[in-house]
Amino acid sequence: MNKKIYLTVDLGFGDSGKGTIVDYLAQKTQAHTVVRFNGGAQAGHRVVMNDGREHVFSQFGSGTLAGADTFLSRFMLVEPLAMVNEAEHLESIGVPHPLSRISIDPQAPITTPFHRAVNRLKELARGDSRHGSCGMGIGETMVDLLAYPGPVIRVGDLSDRNILSNKLRFVQTTNQAKLEMLTGKLPDHPQVKEELDILYDTSWVDFLAEEYCEIGRQISIVSEGYLENILNRDGAVIFEAAQGVLLDEWYGFHPHTTWSTTTLANAEQLLHEAHYDGAVERIGISRAYSTRHGAGPLITEDEQLTQLLPDACNGDDAWQASFRSGWLDLVMLDYAVRVNHLPSDINSIALTCLDRLQELSSIKVCVGYQIHGQVVRQLPIKKNLRNLQAQEKLTALLRNAEPILEIVERPTDLLSLVEQTTNTPISILSNGPTAGDKAFVKHQERKRNRPIQVLDVSTSIQAA
């Protein structure tokens, strides 16, 4: 049996090119399945084929156009209506019967329009202090899942109209109750009325129950052991990440984070539960420059660079606001790699968007920060994982950080800096959006010769 598992993870704030790398891997390895192990319908993974076809993947795996099927694990938040819309576009560009190619764990939670409405109302109430939410209801789905694990809607409920109707009424009522904390805070804004109408219109329950049941008949809701069977098949399986490590619920920079584990921890847990002990390649993905969509720290943000490098898939929107760009931040990249060391080492890095740097007259890279007169070249990783106060302190410190920038004379120098700083080799170089613009880089397996430093925020960085 020739089996190989690829785990991918975004080493930035998202938008690092996960879709294009998964598509490349799927084509090169002829992967039979892509497994989604975190996130939800907020994903926007752009894939451009050599023949010009293009799709922004949300809930389907980004290897679909390369012929791979999709499995959504229980860690994936499923939005059925958005899934149908995505399937329609895939069919329009030549993928026959897309919904028949997707299999879903029955325990995967459902994101509803009620979750989305409350999510948007909370962001509107925050005014200029938004958290940077994508406005898709991901966080509110997780709030309900943690508080009411029994009554929340899961994919396994899509086959029973009575169960769906009862649970939809519960979800609608539960999310109406969340508005108590917003009393007097909602602005006079047309979007407010639109979202309130969704929350209080009882006809939504019947509509959603009917739509969800129909979708449940078209997808494959699998039984326990399905992933183990996939992993035992001959060929390659690619685990596709969502969002980015720097947005992780515990390791990101609170409060500008997601309600999701964005490291490889979920993927590793799924492999463990499936008793997989074969070959695994763990690939971290990073752009050759920094980007961020939504509020929160971007230390190397450069307004001129943002204007010079408009993004093909991301732009300003009503919820995440502007898409920002900056120079490659090696401090953040090193932090993301070290955070992922906690579940497992990243074997290599895929560096994307190198072609965009060719448009620039000069290239810079951030090698450290100045914070209150102190030079910081490595961010601390807290010892106590579930300590959001520590992460909030770190976020506050970063608001005072100034990047230490160096000019990179040659592209090869940039690659060397990435490898030296992260102590991780580069395995894939991407010079454009298609698989034909990418290439594997041969390298010898490199063992870490620098210890993983685990620190409290009570170290000298805080004292500064």
Side-chain angles (χ1 to χ4, degrees):
M1 295 279 286
N2 181 22
K3 298 181 293 185
K4 184 66 176 287
I5 306 300
Y6 294 87
L7 305 186
T8 65
V9 64
D10 188 315
L11 298 176
F13 293 102
D15 304 300
S16 289
K18 295 179 289 295
T20 191
I21 293 299
V22 168
D23 169 66
Y24 175 67
L25 288 172
Q27 292 193 43
K28 287 296 181 181
T29 66
Q30 295 184 322
H32 57 76
T33 307
V34 171
V35 177
R36 299 292 299 274
F37 63 90
N38 69 322
Q42 86 281 26
H45 301 173
R46 179 174 177 249
V47 170
V48 180
M49 302 299 285
N50 293 331
D51 59 13
R53 288 181 298 160
E54 181 176 333
H55 181 77
V56 178
F57 286 91
S58 177
Q59 297 180 84
F60 284 79
S62 294
T64 299
L65 295 178
D69 292 332
T70 298
F71 173 60
L72 305 185
S73 72
R74 72 177 188 278
F75 295 116
M76 180 76 175
L77 305 185
V78 176
E79 212 285 38
L81 301 182
M83 182 181 292
V84 170
N85 290 336
E86 184 176 0
E88 289 175 352
H89 184 261
L90 284 169
E91 193 156 22
S92 74
I93 60 173
V95 179
H97 312 296
L99 288 176
S100 67
R101 298 180 56 184
I102 196 165
S103 301
I104 311 179
D105 189 303
Q107 292 301 308
I110 297 290
T111 296
T112 71
F114 308 132
H115 295 114
R116 186 179 65 233
V118 170
N119 175 191
R120 294 180 174 188
L121 288 168
K122 284 185 177 180
E123 280 291 86
L124 289 167
R126 291 183 180 118
D128 294 333
S129 300
R130 290 189 180 187
H131 288 179
S133 169
C134 59
M136 295 290 289
I138 303 303
E140 297 306 319
T141 306
M142 291 302 299
V143 167
D144 288 357
L145 180 64
L146 294 172
Y148 313 104
V152 297
I153 308 169
R154 299 177 188 268
V155 167
D157 299 322
L158 298 186
S159 59
D160 192 310
R161 174 66 181 266
N162 289 332
I163 290 177
L164 266 178
S165 296
N166 290 334
K167 287 193 170 187
L168 280 165
R169 276 190 286 270
F170 173 82
V171 171
Q172 186 176 36
T173 302
T174 299
N175 282 275
Q176 289 170 358
K178 295 175 184 177
L179 294 184
E180 292 181 10
M181 68 180 69
L182 303 182
T183 302
K185 297 179 181 179
L186 290 172
D188 183 13
H189 192 285
Q191 189 75 42
V192 170
K193 182 181 184 305
E194 182 177 332
E195 305 305 335
L196 288 174
D197 286 346
I198 292 173
L199 267 180
Y200 287 95
D201 186 346
T202 56
S203 67
W204 270 94
V205 169
D206 289 336
F207 167 75
L208 290 174
E210 183 176 346
E211 291 294 314
Y212 286 179
C213 278
E214 177 57 32
I215 294 168
R217 286 189 283 269
Q218 298 180 58
I219 60 176
S220 176
I221 303 174
V222 299
S223 57
E224 186 177 354
Y226 182 79
L227 179 59
E228 186 172 357
N229 291 334
I230 288 176
L231 299 179
N232 283 327
R233 286 174 55 189
D234 194 24
V237 176
I238 303 167
F239 282 65
E240 179 176 0
Q243 303 170 297
V245 171
L246 301 180
L247 295 172
D248 185 79
E249 59 183 331
W250 299 113
Y251 290 112
F253 305 103
H254 190 71
H256 308 291
T257 53
T258 181
W259 284 72
S260 177
T261 297
T262 58
T263 66
L264 288 174
N266 288 349
E268 299 287 355
Q269 184 173 342
L270 290 170
L271 290 181
H272 174 73
E273 292 170 355
H275 311 292
Y276 180 80
D277 59 359
V280 179
E281 176 79 11
R282 299 169 178 89
I283 302 175
I285 304 170
S286 172
R287 288 201 193 205
Y289 56 96
S290 299
T291 64
R292 181 158 196 165
H293 205 176
L298 183 65
I299 310 302
T300 63
E301 181 177 359
D302 186 298
E303 185 176 345
Q304 184 178 14
L305 195 64
T306 299
Q307 294 175 352
L308 288 171
L309 300 176
D311 196 76
C313 189
N314 294 284
D316 293 358
D317 65 45
W319 303 108
Q320 291 182 289
S322 60
F323 186 79
R324 300 174 284 154
S325 296
W327 301 106
L328 182 62
D329 188 335
L330 295 179
V331 180
M332 287 288 182
L333 186 59
D334 169 69
Y335 176 79
V337 170
R338 288 188 295 120
V339 161
N340 269 284
H341 171 76
L342 299 179
S344 57
D345 271 342
I346 287 177
N347 301 109
S348 65
I349 292 174
L351 201 60
T352 67
C353 298
L354 284 161
D355 55 307
R356 304 303 305 277
L357 296 184
Q358 297 174 10
E359 304 172 26
L360 308 175
S361 57
S362 64
I363 301 171
K364 297 178 184 178
V365 63
C366 174
V367 297
Y369 303 151
Q370 284 275 359
I371 304 179
H372 299 307
Q374 178 184 349
V375 175
V376 175
R377 298 191 185 275
Q378 190 175 75
L379 295 181
I381 299 175
K382 58 184 182 289
K383 294 177 182 177
N384 180 7
L385 172 62
R386 297 180 182 273
N387 186 348
L388 291 181
Q389 287 185 337
Q391 287 304 99
E392 198 160 13
K393 289 180 180 179
L394 184 56
T395 304
L397 278 171
L398 293 177
R399 293 193 183 101
N400 298 302
E402 294 292 333
I404 300 172
L405 299 174
E406 291 184 359
I407 294 177
V408 177
E409 298 293 341
R410 297 169 300 179
T412 52
D413 294 338
L414 177 65
L415 307 186
S416 296
L417 280 170
V418 168
E419 292 188 324
Q420 291 168 10
T421 302
T422 64
N423 202 27
T424 307
I426 293 172
S427 60
I428 299 174
L429 295 178
S430 176
N431 281 286
T434 71
D437 298 316
K438 295 167 181 55
F440 279 111
V441 177
K442 293 182 179 179
H443 64 268
Q444 293 182 344
E445 189 68 25
R446 180 182 304 178
K447 294 183 178 179
R448 288 184 178 274
N449 53 30
R450 178 165 56 88
I452 298 299
Q453 194 172 9
V454 181
L455 304 171
D456 266 331
V457 183
S458 57
T459 60
S460 59
I461 186 174
Q462 184 187 25

